[in-house]
Amino acid sequence: MTHTPHYRPCDMVKDIASDYGVHVEVAVRDLHGDVRTSYDMLRWYSERVMETNPGSIIDIVVDEETHQFKSYFLCFAACAYGYEVGCRPLIFLDGSHITDKIQGVILAASALNKNDELFTIAFAIADMET
Protein backbone atom coordinates (compact mmCIF):
# COMPACT_ATOMS: atom_id res chain seq x y z
CA MET A 1 0.00 0.00 0.00
CA THR A 2 1.29 3.43 -0.89
CA HIS A 3 1.19 6.31 1.64
CA THR A 4 1.21 9.31 -0.64
CA PRO A 5 -1.33 12.05 -1.37
CA HIS A 6 -1.03 11.15 -5.06
CA TYR A 7 -2.40 7.61 -4.59
CA ARG A 8 -4.64 7.21 -7.64
CA PRO A 9 -7.79 5.04 -7.78
CA CYS A 10 -6.31 2.86 -10.53
CA ASP A 11 -3.27 2.18 -8.29
CA MET A 12 -5.62 1.31 -5.44
CA VAL A 13 -7.40 -1.24 -7.64
CA LYS A 14 -4.07 -2.84 -8.57
CA ASP A 15 -2.99 -3.00 -4.91
CA ILE A 16 -6.27 -4.61 -3.81
CA ALA A 17 -6.02 -7.19 -6.59
CA SER A 18 -2.43 -8.09 -5.70
CA ASP A 19 -2.77 -7.93 -1.87
CA TYR A 20 -6.11 -9.73 -1.53
CA GLY A 21 -6.49 -11.64 -4.78
CA VAL A 22 -9.71 -9.74 -5.51
CA HIS A 23 -10.41 -8.60 -9.02
CA VAL A 24 -12.47 -5.44 -8.72
CA GLU A 25 -14.38 -5.91 -11.97
CA VAL A 26 -15.58 -9.34 -10.81
CA ALA A 27 -16.45 -8.02 -7.34
CA VAL A 28 -18.49 -5.15 -8.80
CA ARG A 29 -20.32 -7.52 -11.15
CA ASP A 30 -21.07 -9.88 -8.25
CA LEU A 31 -22.31 -7.00 -6.11
CA HIS A 32 -24.42 -5.15 -8.69
CA GLY A 33 -25.10 -7.90 -11.21
CA ASP A 34 -24.40 -8.01 -14.90
CA VAL A 35 -25.75 -5.08 -16.93
CA ARG A 36 -27.61 -7.36 -19.33
CA THR A 37 -29.21 -9.24 -16.43
CA SER A 38 -30.39 -5.93 -15.01
CA TYR A 39 -32.21 -5.13 -18.26
CA ASP A 40 -33.78 -8.59 -18.19
CA MET A 41 -35.16 -7.83 -14.71
CA LEU A 42 -37.27 -4.98 -16.13
CA ARG A 43 -40.00 -7.48 -17.02
CA TRP A 44 -40.08 -8.78 -13.43
CA TYR A 45 -40.09 -5.22 -12.06
CA SER A 46 -42.92 -4.21 -14.41
CA GLU A 47 -45.06 -7.12 -13.21
CA ARG A 48 -44.50 -6.08 -9.58
CA VAL A 49 -45.42 -2.47 -10.40
CA MET A 50 -48.68 -3.53 -12.05
CA GLU A 51 -49.53 -5.73 -9.04
CA THR A 52 -48.89 -2.99 -6.49
CA ASN A 53 -49.86 0.13 -8.46
CA PRO A 54 -52.65 -0.81 -10.90
CA GLY A 55 -53.29 1.73 -13.63
CA SER A 56 -49.61 2.47 -14.13
CA ILE A 57 -48.41 2.78 -17.72
CA ILE A 58 -45.45 0.62 -18.70
CA ASP A 59 -44.02 0.02 -22.14
CA ILE A 60 -41.02 -2.18 -22.89
CA VAL A 61 -39.74 -2.17 -26.47
CA VAL A 62 -37.39 -4.91 -27.64
CA ASP A 63 -36.14 -5.34 -31.21
CA GLU A 64 -37.97 -8.38 -32.56
CA GLU A 65 -35.09 -9.55 -34.74
CA THR A 66 -32.11 -9.05 -32.41
CA HIS A 67 -34.00 -9.25 -29.09
CA GLN A 68 -32.05 -6.19 -27.97
CA PHE A 69 -33.47 -3.68 -25.52
CA LYS A 70 -34.73 -0.49 -27.19
CA SER A 71 -36.70 1.42 -24.54
CA TYR A 72 -38.60 1.29 -21.26
CA PHE A 73 -41.27 3.79 -20.20
CA LEU A 74 -42.84 3.97 -16.75
CA CYS A 75 -45.51 6.26 -15.35
CA PHE A 76 -46.85 5.19 -11.96
CA ALA A 77 -50.62 5.67 -11.64
CA ALA A 78 -50.01 7.63 -8.45
CA CYS A 79 -47.67 10.02 -10.27
CA ALA A 80 -50.15 10.59 -13.09
CA TYR A 81 -52.87 11.32 -10.53
CA GLY A 82 -50.53 13.61 -8.57
CA TYR A 83 -49.80 15.59 -11.72
CA GLU A 84 -53.47 15.83 -12.57
CA VAL A 85 -54.63 17.13 -9.18
CA GLY A 86 -51.60 18.92 -7.80
CA CYS A 87 -49.31 20.30 -10.49
CA ARG A 88 -49.22 23.22 -12.84
CA PRO A 89 -50.11 22.33 -16.46
CA LEU A 90 -46.57 22.51 -17.79
CA ILE A 91 -44.30 19.50 -18.29
CA PHE A 92 -40.50 19.71 -18.28
CA LEU A 93 -38.45 17.10 -20.15
CA ASP A 94 -34.85 16.29 -19.33
CA GLY A 95 -32.37 13.61 -20.27
CA SER A 96 -29.11 12.22 -18.98
CA HIS A 97 -26.83 10.06 -21.08
CA ILE A 98 -25.68 6.70 -19.78
CA THR A 99 -21.96 6.35 -20.38
CA ASP A 100 -21.31 2.70 -19.73
CA LYS A 101 -20.60 -0.35 -21.83
CA ILE A 102 -24.24 -0.22 -22.91
CA GLN A 103 -25.02 3.28 -24.17
CA GLY A 104 -28.39 4.94 -23.69
CA VAL A 105 -30.25 7.82 -22.13
CA ILE A 106 -32.50 8.27 -19.10
CA LEU A 107 -35.40 10.63 -19.82
CA ALA A 108 -37.67 12.24 -17.23
CA ALA A 109 -40.93 14.18 -17.42
CA SER A 110 -41.52 16.49 -14.47
CA ALA A 111 -43.77 19.35 -13.43
CA LEU A 112 -43.92 21.93 -10.67
CA ASN A 113 -46.40 21.32 -7.88
CA LYS A 114 -48.27 24.11 -6.11
CA ASN A 115 -45.30 24.65 -3.76
CA ASP A 116 -42.94 25.14 -6.75
CA GLU A 117 -41.28 21.79 -6.04
CA LEU A 118 -40.25 19.43 -8.82
CA PHE A 119 -42.64 16.48 -9.21
CA THR A 120 -41.60 13.52 -11.39
CA ILE A 121 -44.42 12.28 -13.57
CA ALA A 122 -42.74 9.60 -15.67
CA PHE A 123 -39.36 8.36 -16.81
CA ALA A 124 -37.92 6.34 -19.63
CA ILE A 125 -34.72 4.50 -20.46
CA ALA A 126 -33.92 4.40 -24.16
CA ASP A 127 -31.08 3.40 -26.44
CA MET A 128 -31.05 6.91 -27.93
CA GLU A 129 -32.59 10.31 -27.21
CA THR A 130 -34.91 10.25 -30.22
mmCIF file of all heavy atoms in Angstrom, residues 29-54:
data_model
loop_
_atom_site.group_PDB
_atom_site.id
_atom_site.type_symbol
_atom_site.label_atom_id
_atom_site.label_comp_id
_atom_site.label_asym_id
_atom_site.label_seq_id
_atom_site.Cartn_x
_atom_site.Cartn_y
_atom_site.Cartn_z
ATOM 1 N N ARG A 29 -19.294 -6.763 -10.444
ATOM 2 C CA ARG A 29 -20.322 -7.521 -11.147
ATOM 3 C C ARG A 29 -21.101 -8.398 -10.174
ATOM 4 O O ARG A 29 -22.325 -8.487 -10.239
ATOM 5 C CB ARG A 29 -19.710 -8.369 -12.258
ATOM 6 C CG ARG A 29 -20.788 -9.042 -13.115
ATOM 7 C CD ARG A 29 -20.226 -10.038 -14.109
ATOM 8 N NE ARG A 29 -19.705 -11.185 -13.386
ATOM 9 C CZ ARG A 29 -18.495 -11.705 -13.557
ATOM 10 N NH1 ARG A 29 -17.678 -11.200 -14.439
ATOM 11 N NH2 ARG A 29 -18.100 -12.739 -12.863
ATOM 12 N N ASP A 30 -20.399 -9.040 -9.230
ATOM 13 C CA ASP A 30 -21.075 -9.881 -8.248
ATOM 14 C C ASP A 30 -21.971 -9.058 -7.337
ATOM 15 O O ASP A 30 -23.048 -9.495 -6.941
ATOM 16 C CB ASP A 30 -20.058 -10.659 -7.410
ATOM 17 C CG ASP A 30 -19.347 -11.740 -8.216
ATOM 18 O OD1 ASP A 30 -19.816 -12.063 -9.328
ATOM 19 O OD2 ASP A 30 -18.320 -12.250 -7.729
ATOM 20 N N LEU A 31 -21.544 -7.866 -7.001
ATOM 21 C CA LEU A 31 -22.306 -6.996 -6.107
ATOM 22 C C LEU A 31 -23.521 -6.402 -6.798
ATOM 23 O O LEU A 31 -24.633 -6.421 -6.275
ATOM 24 C CB LEU A 31 -21.405 -5.871 -5.580
ATOM 25 C CG LEU A 31 -22.032 -4.878 -4.623
ATOM 26 C CD1 LEU A 31 -22.467 -5.583 -3.343
ATOM 27 C CD2 LEU A 31 -21.045 -3.768 -4.301
ATOM 28 N N HIS A 32 -23.340 -5.861 -7.997
ATOM 29 C CA HIS A 32 -24.417 -5.154 -8.689
ATOM 30 C C HIS A 32 -25.099 -5.982 -9.769
ATOM 31 O O HIS A 32 -26.120 -5.568 -10.295
ATOM 32 C CB HIS A 32 -23.868 -3.873 -9.330
ATOM 33 C CG HIS A 32 -23.378 -2.883 -8.322
ATOM 34 N ND1 HIS A 32 -24.228 -2.187 -7.508
ATOM 35 C CD2 HIS A 32 -22.136 -2.489 -7.977
ATOM 36 C CE1 HIS A 32 -23.534 -1.394 -6.713
ATOM 37 N NE2 HIS A 32 -22.258 -1.563 -6.981
ATOM 38 N N GLY A 33 -24.530 -7.089 -10.150
ATOM 39 C CA GLY A 33 -25.101 -7.900 -11.210
ATOM 40 C C GLY A 33 -24.607 -7.452 -12.570
ATOM 41 O O GLY A 33 -24.077 -6.365 -12.747
ATOM 42 N N ASP A 34 -24.788 -8.303 -13.526
ATOM 43 C CA ASP A 34 -24.403 -8.014 -14.905
ATOM 44 C C ASP A 34 -25.387 -7.012 -15.500
ATOM 45 O O ASP A 34 -26.579 -7.052 -15.220
ATOM 46 C CB ASP A 34 -24.428 -9.330 -15.689
ATOM 47 C CG ASP A 34 -23.976 -9.149 -17.114
ATOM 48 O OD1 ASP A 34 -22.758 -9.062 -17.338
ATOM 49 O OD2 ASP A 34 -24.859 -9.072 -17.986
ATOM 50 N N VAL A 35 -24.904 -6.115 -16.336
ATOM 51 C CA VAL A 35 -25.754 -5.083 -16.933
ATOM 52 C C VAL A 35 -26.882 -5.708 -17.732
ATOM 53 O O VAL A 35 -28.036 -5.305 -17.632
ATOM 54 C CB VAL A 35 -24.908 -4.139 -17.829
ATOM 55 C CG1 VAL A 35 -25.793 -3.151 -18.563
ATOM 56 C CG2 VAL A 35 -23.878 -3.418 -16.996
ATOM 57 N N ARG A 36 -26.577 -6.723 -18.517
ATOM 58 C CA ARG A 36 -27.607 -7.359 -19.329
ATOM 59 C C ARG A 36 -28.668 -8.036 -18.456
ATOM 60 O O ARG A 36 -29.849 -8.004 -18.775
ATOM 61 C CB ARG A 36 -26.977 -8.361 -20.289
ATOM 62 C CG ARG A 36 -26.094 -7.675 -21.310
ATOM 63 C CD ARG A 36 -25.550 -8.658 -22.339
ATOM 64 N NE ARG A 36 -24.454 -8.103 -23.095
ATOM 65 C CZ ARG A 36 -24.567 -7.158 -24.007
ATOM 66 N NH1 ARG A 36 -25.739 -6.654 -24.260
ATOM 67 N NH2 ARG A 36 -23.522 -6.708 -24.657
ATOM 68 N N THR A 37 -28.262 -8.634 -17.352
ATOM 69 C CA THR A 37 -29.210 -9.244 -16.429
ATOM 70 C C THR A 37 -30.124 -8.189 -15.833
ATOM 71 O O THR A 37 -31.316 -8.413 -15.647
ATOM 72 C CB THR A 37 -28.456 -9.991 -15.307
ATOM 73 O OG1 THR A 37 -27.573 -10.935 -15.904
ATOM 74 C CG2 THR A 37 -29.416 -10.709 -14.389
ATOM 75 N N SER A 38 -29.575 -7.012 -15.560
ATOM 76 C CA SER A 38 -30.386 -5.930 -15.014
ATOM 77 C C SER A 38 -31.484 -5.531 -15.983
ATOM 78 O O SER A 38 -32.621 -5.287 -15.578
ATOM 79 C CB SER A 38 -29.503 -4.718 -14.701
ATOM 80 O OG SER A 38 -28.568 -5.039 -13.705
ATOM 81 N N TYR A 39 -31.180 -5.455 -17.268
ATOM 82 C CA TYR A 39 -32.206 -5.128 -18.256
ATOM 83 C C TYR A 39 -33.251 -6.236 -18.325
ATOM 84 O O TYR A 39 -34.440 -5.968 -18.487
ATOM 85 C CB TYR A 39 -31.582 -4.888 -19.637
ATOM 86 C CG TYR A 39 -30.995 -3.512 -19.789
ATOM 87 C CD1 TYR A 39 -29.624 -3.307 -19.720
ATOM 88 C CD2 TYR A 39 -31.809 -2.405 -19.992
ATOM 89 C CE1 TYR A 39 -29.079 -2.045 -19.852
ATOM 90 C CE2 TYR A 39 -31.285 -1.140 -20.126
ATOM 91 C CZ TYR A 39 -29.914 -0.962 -20.059
ATOM 92 O OH TYR A 39 -29.380 0.294 -20.186
ATOM 93 N N ASP A 40 -32.827 -7.483 -18.181
ATOM 94 C CA ASP A 40 -33.780 -8.593 -18.191
ATOM 95 C C ASP A 40 -34.738 -8.514 -17.009
ATOM 96 O O ASP A 40 -35.879 -8.968 -17.098
ATOM 97 C CB ASP A 40 -33.041 -9.933 -18.175
ATOM 98 C CG ASP A 40 -32.331 -10.227 -19.484
ATOM 99 O OD1 ASP A 40 -32.712 -9.624 -20.508
ATOM 100 O OD2 ASP A 40 -31.408 -11.041 -19.476
ATOM 101 N N MET A 41 -34.313 -7.929 -15.908
ATOM 102 C CA MET A 41 -35.157 -7.831 -14.715
ATOM 103 C C MET A 41 -36.256 -6.776 -14.863
ATOM 104 O O MET A 41 -37.157 -6.700 -14.032
ATOM 105 C CB MET A 41 -34.308 -7.546 -13.487
ATOM 106 C CG MET A 41 -33.429 -8.735 -13.113
ATOM 107 S SD MET A 41 -32.789 -8.641 -11.460
ATOM 108 C CE MET A 41 -34.278 -8.754 -10.504
ATOM 109 N N LEU A 42 -36.226 -5.985 -15.916
ATOM 110 C CA LEU A 42 -37.272 -4.984 -16.125
ATOM 111 C C LEU A 42 -38.650 -5.625 -16.273
ATOM 112 O O LEU A 42 -39.645 -5.074 -15.816
ATOM 113 C CB LEU A 42 -36.961 -4.128 -17.354
ATOM 114 C CG LEU A 42 -35.864 -3.089 -17.187
ATOM 115 C CD1 LEU A 42 -35.564 -2.411 -18.518
ATOM 116 C CD2 LEU A 42 -36.227 -2.065 -16.132
ATOM 117 N N ARG A 43 -38.712 -6.787 -16.887
ATOM 118 C CA ARG A 43 -40.002 -7.476 -17.015
ATOM 119 C C ARG A 43 -40.547 -7.856 -15.639
ATOM 120 O O ARG A 43 -41.727 -7.652 -15.347
ATOM 121 C CB ARG A 43 -39.864 -8.725 -17.882
ATOM 122 C CG ARG A 43 -39.570 -8.441 -19.322
ATOM 123 C CD ARG A 43 -39.529 -9.746 -20.122
ATOM 124 N NE ARG A 43 -38.691 -9.649 -21.291
ATOM 125 C CZ ARG A 43 -39.024 -9.004 -22.394
ATOM 126 N NH1 ARG A 43 -40.155 -8.380 -22.458
ATOM 127 N NH2 ARG A 43 -38.210 -8.974 -23.428
ATOM 128 N N TRP A 44 -39.680 -8.416 -14.798
ATOM 129 C CA TRP A 44 -40.081 -8.776 -13.434
ATOM 130 C C TRP A 44 -40.527 -7.539 -12.665
ATOM 131 O O TRP A 44 -41.569 -7.548 -12.011
ATOM 132 C CB TRP A 44 -38.901 -9.451 -12.711
ATOM 133 C CG TRP A 44 -39.196 -9.746 -11.280
ATOM 134 C CD1 TRP A 44 -39.796 -10.872 -10.786
ATOM 135 C CD2 TRP A 44 -38.910 -8.903 -10.164
ATOM 136 N NE1 TRP A 44 -39.896 -10.769 -9.421
ATOM 137 C CE2 TRP A 44 -39.365 -9.574 -9.016
ATOM 138 C CE3 TRP A 44 -38.322 -7.656 -10.017
ATOM 139 C CZ2 TRP A 44 -39.249 -9.032 -7.739
ATOM 140 C CZ3 TRP A 44 -38.201 -7.113 -8.754
ATOM 141 C CH2 TRP A 44 -38.665 -7.802 -7.627
ATOM 142 N N TYR A 45 -39.764 -6.461 -12.755
ATOM 143 C CA TYR A 45 -40.094 -5.219 -12.065
ATOM 144 C C TYR A 45 -41.434 -4.665 -12.551
ATOM 145 O O TYR A 45 -42.270 -4.233 -11.744
ATOM 146 C CB TYR A 45 -38.985 -4.186 -12.285
ATOM 147 C CG TYR A 45 -39.244 -2.868 -11.619
ATOM 148 C CD1 TYR A 45 -39.154 -2.735 -10.238
ATOM 149 C CD2 TYR A 45 -39.602 -1.750 -12.366
ATOM 150 C CE1 TYR A 45 -39.411 -1.531 -9.611
ATOM 151 C CE2 TYR A 45 -39.859 -0.530 -11.749
ATOM 152 C CZ TYR A 45 -39.761 -0.436 -10.378
ATOM 153 O OH TYR A 45 -40.025 0.762 -9.773
ATOM 154 N N SER A 46 -41.666 -4.713 -13.851
ATOM 155 C CA SER A 46 -42.923 -4.213 -14.413
ATOM 156 C C SER A 46 -44.117 -4.991 -13.877
ATOM 157 O O SER A 46 -45.162 -4.409 -13.564
ATOM 158 C CB SER A 46 -42.886 -4.304 -15.940
ATOM 159 O OG SER A 46 -41.841 -3.500 -16.431
ATOM 160 N N GLU A 47 -43.975 -6.298 -13.761
ATOM 161 C CA GLU A 47 -45.057 -7.119 -13.208
ATOM 162 C C GLU A 47 -45.345 -6.731 -11.761
ATOM 163 O O GLU A 47 -46.509 -6.647 -11.353
ATOM 164 C CB GLU A 47 -44.700 -8.601 -13.302
ATOM 165 C CG GLU A 47 -44.700 -9.129 -14.716
ATOM 166 C CD GLU A 47 -44.123 -10.535 -14.815
ATOM 167 O OE1 GLU A 47 -43.826 -11.152 -13.760
ATOM 168 O OE2 GLU A 47 -43.954 -11.012 -15.957
ATOM 169 N N ARG A 48 -44.303 -6.495 -10.975
ATOM 170 C CA ARG A 48 -44.502 -6.080 -9.577
ATOM 171 C C ARG A 48 -45.175 -4.712 -9.491
ATOM 172 O O ARG A 48 -46.018 -4.477 -8.637
ATOM 173 C CB ARG A 48 -43.183 -6.021 -8.810
ATOM 174 C CG ARG A 48 -42.353 -7.307 -8.733
ATOM 175 C CD ARG A 48 -43.004 -8.490 -8.023
ATOM 176 N NE ARG A 48 -43.910 -9.290 -8.804
ATOM 177 C CZ ARG A 48 -43.578 -10.166 -9.767
ATOM 178 N NH1 ARG A 48 -42.330 -10.360 -10.094
ATOM 179 N NH2 ARG A 48 -44.496 -10.850 -10.398
ATOM 180 N N VAL A 49 -44.796 -3.798 -10.391
ATOM 181 C CA VAL A 49 -45.424 -2.471 -10.400
ATOM 182 C C VAL A 49 -46.908 -2.596 -10.693
ATOM 183 O O VAL A 49 -47.743 -1.980 -10.016
ATOM 184 C CB VAL A 49 -44.741 -1.538 -11.432
ATOM 185 C CG1 VAL A 49 -45.571 -0.287 -11.666
ATOM 186 C CG2 VAL A 49 -43.347 -1.160 -10.974
ATOM 187 N N MET A 50 -47.270 -3.388 -11.686
ATOM 188 C CA MET A 50 -48.679 -3.526 -12.045
ATOM 189 C C MET A 50 -49.486 -4.205 -10.941
ATOM 190 O O MET A 50 -50.665 -3.902 -10.761
ATOM 191 C CB MET A 50 -48.830 -4.285 -13.367
ATOM 192 C CG MET A 50 -48.240 -3.510 -14.555
ATOM 193 S SD MET A 50 -48.821 -1.807 -14.696
ATOM 194 C CE MET A 50 -50.472 -2.064 -15.289
ATOM 195 N N GLU A 51 -48.852 -5.098 -10.168
ATOM 196 C CA GLU A 51 -49.532 -5.732 -9.041
ATOM 197 C C GLU A 51 -49.788 -4.736 -7.907
ATOM 198 O O GLU A 51 -50.841 -4.762 -7.281
ATOM 199 C CB GLU A 51 -48.689 -6.884 -8.477
ATOM 200 C CG GLU A 51 -48.650 -8.114 -9.327
ATOM 201 C CD GLU A 51 -47.701 -9.158 -8.759
ATOM 202 O OE1 GLU A 51 -47.162 -8.976 -7.650
ATOM 203 O OE2 GLU A 51 -47.483 -10.167 -9.452
ATOM 204 N N THR A 52 -48.818 -3.884 -7.652
ATOM 205 C CA THR A 52 -48.890 -2.994 -6.491
ATOM 206 C C THR A 52 -49.404 -1.595 -6.813
ATOM 207 O O THR A 52 -49.808 -0.869 -5.900
ATOM 208 C CB THR A 52 -47.507 -2.866 -5.826
ATOM 209 O OG1 THR A 52 -46.571 -2.358 -6.787
ATOM 210 C CG2 THR A 52 -47.029 -4.209 -5.309
ATOM 211 N N ASN A 53 -49.405 -1.196 -8.069
ATOM 212 C CA ASN A 53 -49.855 0.134 -8.458
ATOM 213 C C ASN A 53 -50.647 0.019 -9.764
ATOM 214 O O ASN A 53 -50.209 0.479 -10.813
ATOM 215 C CB ASN A 53 -48.648 1.064 -8.625
ATOM 216 C CG ASN A 53 -49.020 2.523 -8.566
ATOM 217 O OD1 ASN A 53 -50.169 2.897 -8.749
ATOM 218 N ND2 ASN A 53 -48.038 3.358 -8.338
ATOM 219 N N PRO A 54 -51.857 -0.610 -9.681
ATOM 220 C CA PRO A 54 -52.647 -0.805 -10.896
ATOM 221 C C PRO A 54 -52.972 0.533 -11.563
ATOM 222 O O PRO A 54 -53.146 1.537 -10.892
ATOM 223 C CB PRO A 54 -53.927 -1.474 -10.399
ATOM 224 C CG PRO A 54 -53.741 -1.750 -8.959
ATOM 225 C CD PRO A 54 -52.501 -1.079 -8.494
#
